Short mmCIF file of all heavy atoms in Angstrom, two decimals:
data_model
loop_
_atom_site.label_atom_id
_atom_site.label_comp_id
_atom_site.label_asym_id
_atom_site.label_seq_id
_atom_site.Cartn_x
_atom_site.Cartn_y
_atom_site.Cartn_z
N THR D 111 5.12 34.48 0.97
CA THR D 111 5.70 33.39 1.75
C THR D 111 4.65 32.32 2.01
O THR D 111 3.49 32.62 2.28
CB THR D 111 6.23 33.91 3.10
OG1 THR D 111 7.15 34.99 2.87
CG2 THR D 111 6.94 32.81 3.88
N VAL D 112 5.08 31.06 1.93
CA VAL D 112 4.22 29.93 2.26
C VAL D 112 4.92 29.07 3.31
O VAL D 112 6.12 28.79 3.21
CB VAL D 112 3.91 29.06 1.02
CG1 VAL D 112 3.09 27.83 1.43
CG2 VAL D 112 3.16 29.86 -0.03
N TYR D 113 4.15 28.66 4.32
CA TYR D 113 4.62 27.71 5.33
C TYR D 113 3.81 26.43 5.17
O TYR D 113 2.59 26.49 4.97
CB TYR D 113 4.43 28.27 6.74
CG TYR D 113 5.22 29.52 7.02
CD1 TYR D 113 4.67 30.78 6.78
CD2 TYR D 113 6.52 29.45 7.51
CE1 TYR D 113 5.39 31.94 7.03
CE2 TYR D 113 7.25 30.60 7.76
CZ TYR D 113 6.70 31.84 7.52
OH TYR D 113 7.42 32.97 7.76
N ILE D 114 4.47 25.29 5.28
CA ILE D 114 3.77 24.00 5.12
C ILE D 114 4.19 23.04 6.23
O ILE D 114 5.38 22.82 6.46
CB ILE D 114 4.10 23.36 3.76
CG1 ILE D 114 3.74 24.30 2.61
CG2 ILE D 114 3.34 22.02 3.61
CD1 ILE D 114 4.20 23.82 1.25
N VAL D 115 3.20 22.48 6.91
CA VAL D 115 3.41 21.40 7.87
C VAL D 115 2.62 20.20 7.39
O VAL D 115 1.39 20.24 7.33
CB VAL D 115 2.97 21.80 9.29
CG1 VAL D 115 3.12 20.62 10.24
CG2 VAL D 115 3.77 22.99 9.79
N SER D 116 3.31 19.13 7.01
CA SER D 116 2.64 17.96 6.46
C SER D 116 3.59 16.76 6.48
O SER D 116 4.75 16.90 6.08
CB SER D 116 2.21 18.25 5.02
OG SER D 116 1.66 17.13 4.40
N PRO D 117 3.12 15.58 6.94
CA PRO D 117 1.84 15.35 7.61
C PRO D 117 1.90 15.83 9.05
O PRO D 117 2.87 15.57 9.77
CB PRO D 117 1.67 13.83 7.54
CG PRO D 117 3.06 13.29 7.48
CD PRO D 117 3.87 14.32 6.75
N ALA D 118 0.86 16.53 9.47
CA ALA D 118 0.82 17.06 10.83
C ALA D 118 0.75 15.94 11.86
O ALA D 118 1.34 16.04 12.94
CB ALA D 118 -0.37 18.00 10.99
N ASN D 119 0.01 14.89 11.53
CA ASN D 119 -0.07 13.71 12.39
C ASN D 119 0.86 12.66 11.79
O ASN D 119 0.44 11.76 11.07
CB ASN D 119 -1.51 13.20 12.46
CG ASN D 119 -1.67 11.95 13.31
OD1 ASN D 119 -0.71 11.45 13.88
ND2 ASN D 119 -2.88 11.46 13.38
N ARG D 120 2.14 12.80 12.06
CA ARG D 120 3.15 11.96 11.42
C ARG D 120 2.97 10.49 11.77
O ARG D 120 3.08 9.61 10.92
CB ARG D 120 4.55 12.45 11.82
CG ARG D 120 5.70 11.76 11.12
CD ARG D 120 6.99 12.56 11.29
NE ARG D 120 7.31 12.81 12.68
CZ ARG D 120 8.02 11.97 13.45
NH1 ARG D 120 8.44 10.83 12.95
NH2 ARG D 120 8.29 12.28 14.70
N TYR D 121 2.67 10.19 13.02
CA TYR D 121 2.47 8.81 13.43
C TYR D 121 1.25 8.21 12.73
O TYR D 121 1.29 7.10 12.21
CB TYR D 121 2.30 8.71 14.95
CG TYR D 121 2.06 7.30 15.44
CD1 TYR D 121 3.13 6.45 15.68
CD2 TYR D 121 0.76 6.81 15.64
CE1 TYR D 121 2.91 5.13 16.10
CE2 TYR D 121 0.53 5.52 16.07
CZ TYR D 121 1.61 4.67 16.30
OH TYR D 121 1.41 3.39 16.71
N GLY D 122 0.15 8.95 12.70
CA GLY D 122 -1.05 8.47 12.06
C GLY D 122 -0.85 8.22 10.57
O GLY D 122 -1.36 7.23 10.02
N ALA D 123 -0.11 9.10 9.90
CA ALA D 123 0.16 8.91 8.48
C ALA D 123 0.97 7.64 8.25
O ALA D 123 0.72 6.88 7.31
CB ALA D 123 0.89 10.12 7.91
N GLY D 124 1.93 7.41 9.12
CA GLY D 124 2.76 6.22 8.98
C GLY D 124 2.00 4.93 9.22
O GLY D 124 2.32 3.89 8.64
N LYS D 125 0.99 4.97 10.07
CA LYS D 125 0.19 3.79 10.40
C LYS D 125 -1.13 3.73 9.65
O LYS D 125 -1.91 2.80 9.85
CB LYS D 125 -0.09 3.77 11.91
CG LYS D 125 1.15 3.66 12.79
CD LYS D 125 1.84 2.32 12.61
CE LYS D 125 3.01 2.18 13.57
NZ LYS D 125 3.71 0.89 13.41
N ASP D 126 -1.38 4.72 8.80
CA ASP D 126 -2.65 4.83 8.07
C ASP D 126 -3.83 4.79 9.03
O ASP D 126 -4.81 4.05 8.85
CB ASP D 126 -2.78 3.72 7.03
CG ASP D 126 -3.91 3.98 6.04
OD1 ASP D 126 -4.28 5.16 5.86
OD2 ASP D 126 -4.44 3.00 5.46
N GLN D 127 -3.74 5.62 10.08
CA GLN D 127 -4.83 5.70 11.04
C GLN D 127 -5.16 7.17 11.31
O GLN D 127 -4.31 8.05 11.19
CB GLN D 127 -4.47 5.01 12.36
CG GLN D 127 -3.40 5.68 13.18
CD GLN D 127 -3.12 4.95 14.50
OE1 GLN D 127 -3.10 3.73 14.56
NE2 GLN D 127 -2.89 5.72 15.56
N ARG D 128 -6.39 7.42 11.69
CA ARG D 128 -6.87 8.78 11.90
C ARG D 128 -6.17 9.47 13.06
O ARG D 128 -5.75 10.63 12.96
CB ARG D 128 -8.38 8.74 12.16
CG ARG D 128 -9.02 10.11 12.48
CD ARG D 128 -10.50 9.91 12.79
NE ARG D 128 -11.16 11.14 13.18
CZ ARG D 128 -11.74 11.99 12.34
NH1 ARG D 128 -11.72 11.75 11.05
NH2 ARG D 128 -12.34 13.09 12.78
N ASN D 129 -6.02 8.77 14.17
CA ASN D 129 -5.60 9.39 15.43
C ASN D 129 -4.09 9.29 15.65
O ASN D 129 -3.36 8.68 14.87
CB ASN D 129 -6.36 8.77 16.59
CG ASN D 129 -7.83 9.15 16.59
OD1 ASN D 129 -8.25 10.06 15.86
ND2 ASN D 129 -8.63 8.45 17.37
#
Side-chain angles (χ1 to χ4, degrees):
T111 305
V112 176
Y113 297 91
I114 303 172
V115 176
S116 175
N119 179 0
R120 186 164 55 88
Y121 179 84
K125 297 294 185 180
D126 193 25
Q127 69 178 40
R128 177 183 176 89
N129 291 347

